Amino acid sequence: MAVIIDGKAVSAQVKENIKTEVSALQEKGISVALAVVLVGEDPASKIYVRNKKIACEAVGIQSKEFLLPESTSEDELLQLIQQLNEDPEINGILVQLPLPKQIREQKILESISPIKDVDAFHPVNVGKIMTGAFDFLPCTPAGCMELLHSAGITAEGKRCVVIGRSNIVGKPMAMLLLHEHGTVTICHSKTPNLAEICRTADILIAAVGRAKLVTADMVRPGAAVIDVGMNRQDGKLCGDVDFDQVEPIAGAITPVPGGVGPMTIAMLLKNTLKAAFLQNNL
Ligand code: NAP
């Protein structure tokens, strides 16, 4: 039986700490604000934006929403970001993805000032993650690291396998494990012998987007298994790991829901607080 790593509980603790720090800043006359930009009517994006607003308010961070129509041009969005970059009352800027097809995502991400880039998607911040001299960490991989630490697990000296190589999750996840002195293998859709490689892992991170891809035969007894996946199967939310099969074998495991998901928002709040510290030279 694995230790179930409770993302709700860990994120609640992180948010409590952030709340304390936000109120200490407020006592010094410094407020913390996040600008959230949503273009269009994507229902999932609307839910994410609403959840981010609720989370900000719960810790005392102001959330300023900018809701733009689906027809917004790239130039109009660039203009708004320019204004937000220059606005001293805005500490963090988040542009909810995906964007409508007439807008180039990379162009927008590159237009956000690196010191307000709380998603850590700007090439400057991506480069800093490579070197280890980072200000902001990408929210989901940072959340996975906090979950491992909460269970007393560090990557040092461990064999780590990350399934998935996206810029948002897989690649930065591998870098964070490497910075912590793990020996890291990255797998993807062209990797032969996936099960065999996964079975070598002391720490297995699944960031694929395929429901229940990771089965019992892919997990080494006692391994820590972090499930980033958010999939729907038969109308129910499930991860990339077949939890019922893997839980009896693993040493520690995150559930879906209630694992990595709550941590991603907590890390966004942490980055927004960090941005406020940086911008106030604290
Ligand atoms: P993505 O950009 O689609 O990347 C998926 C990765 O998985 C790719 O590198 C792909 O390989 C690899 N892959 C696909 N099928 C595979 C297979 N059969 N075997 C091995 N590797 C395979 O997805 P993402 O943005 O990284 O997200 C991954 C999952 O995490 C999704 O379910 C997403 O919803 C979830 N997610 C959750 C949170 C959260 O807060 N909980 C945050 C972000 C994402 P190739 O590169 O070769 O195509």
Side-chain angles (χ1 to χ4, degrees), residues 36 60 76 108 153 161 165-166 207 209-210 222 231 245 247 259 263:
V36 180
E76 286 167 328
I108 298 304
I153 300 162
V161 173
R165 57 173 165 179
S166 69
R210 301 272 183 280
N231 313 295
Q245 270 193 27
E247 187 271 332
M263 291 305 290

Side-chain angles (χ1 to χ4, degrees), residues 140 163-166 168-170 187-190 194 207-210 213 228-231 240 260-261 264:
T140 302
I163 323 175
R165 57 173 165 179
S166 69
I168 292 174
V169 190
C187 301
H188 47 77
S189 68
K190 310 283 188 290
L194 182 66
V208 186
R210 301 272 183 280
L213 174 95
V228 182
M230 286 209 298
N231 313 295
D240 291 341
V260 176
T264 296

